[in-house]
Amino acid sequence: MKQAAVEDYLSKRLTGPEVLKKYKIRSETQLQNWIMKYNGHEELKSSGTGGCTIMTKGRKTTFEERVEIVRYCITHNRNYAETSQKYGISYQQARNYTVKYESGGVDALKDRRGKRKPLEEMSELERLRAEVKLLQAEKKRAEMEVSFLKKLEEIERRRG
């Protein structure tokens, strides 16, 4: 399709806007990029989606769904586009789940966002960092309290 569009344009069979309309190309810039690749003797590769738009916004998935998605993706030669279409997720989600699984196993597919590690799982460095954060938060709260009390005293002095 890309090559046909470029050849129609270069042979002057169709004008730029006609090529865009015929091949449903969204922008003239895209066509120009294809022409540059064609003229540079580069291969005009297919996106692998068969002309379908790739879902860019994902959806929430459960742990069990992520396991099933990865299983499907791996058994289908890591075809992320097909996997994303089948499960109604984004291409990036299909890829991320597969990469996480391959690097960290099934446990890597668990969603740990917003979850703190239990103290017994933390290294000494992690425990100390957590303690420092808590102390900094306490210090900031105390500073705000002192600042508030000073303002309050100032307001009361002005009234009296």
Side-chain angles (χ1 to χ4, degrees), residues 55-116:
M55 200 174 152
T56 54
K57 181 144 174 53
R59 66 173 179 83
K60 288 187 177 184
T61 57
T62 65
F63 172 70
E64 290 77 20
E65 282 181 301
R66 290 190 286 274
V67 171
E68 174 64 23
I69 289 165
V70 169
R71 188 196 60 73
Y72 180 87
C73 188
I74 289 174
T75 58
H76 288 84
N77 298 319
R78 288 171 183 69
N79 188 334
Y80 305 122
E82 180 184 322
T83 303
S84 67
Q85 195 169 21
K86 177 175 172 49
Y87 289 95
I89 59 172
S90 70
Y91 178 97
Q92 197 59 42
Q93 279 177 303
R95 185 181 177 285
N96 284 345
Y97 295 158
T98 306
V99 168
K100 279 182 181 180
Y101 170 77
E102 289 172 336
S103 66
V106 175
D107 281 344
L109 296 176
K110 290 183 180 164
D111 187 357
R112 288 187 167 75
R113 291 176 298 173
K115 308 275 190 302
R116 287 197 181 123

Side-chain angles (χ1 to χ4, degrees), residues 22-36:
K22 177 180 177 182
Y23 293 98
K24 295 183 174 89
I25 303 169
R26 290 190 185 153
S27 72
E28 197 161 337
T29 305
Q30 185 62 66
L31 179 61
Q32 294 303 322
N33 288 338
W34 294 346
I35 291 169
M36 283 174 43

Side-chain angles (χ1 to χ4, degrees), residues 128-141:
L128 291 172
R129 283 187 176 150
E131 194 175 325
V132 166
K133 279 186 181 180
L134 286 171
L135 290 171
Q136 286 173 335
E138 283 179 34
K139 179 183 173 210
K140 187 171 184 170
R141 188 196 56 75

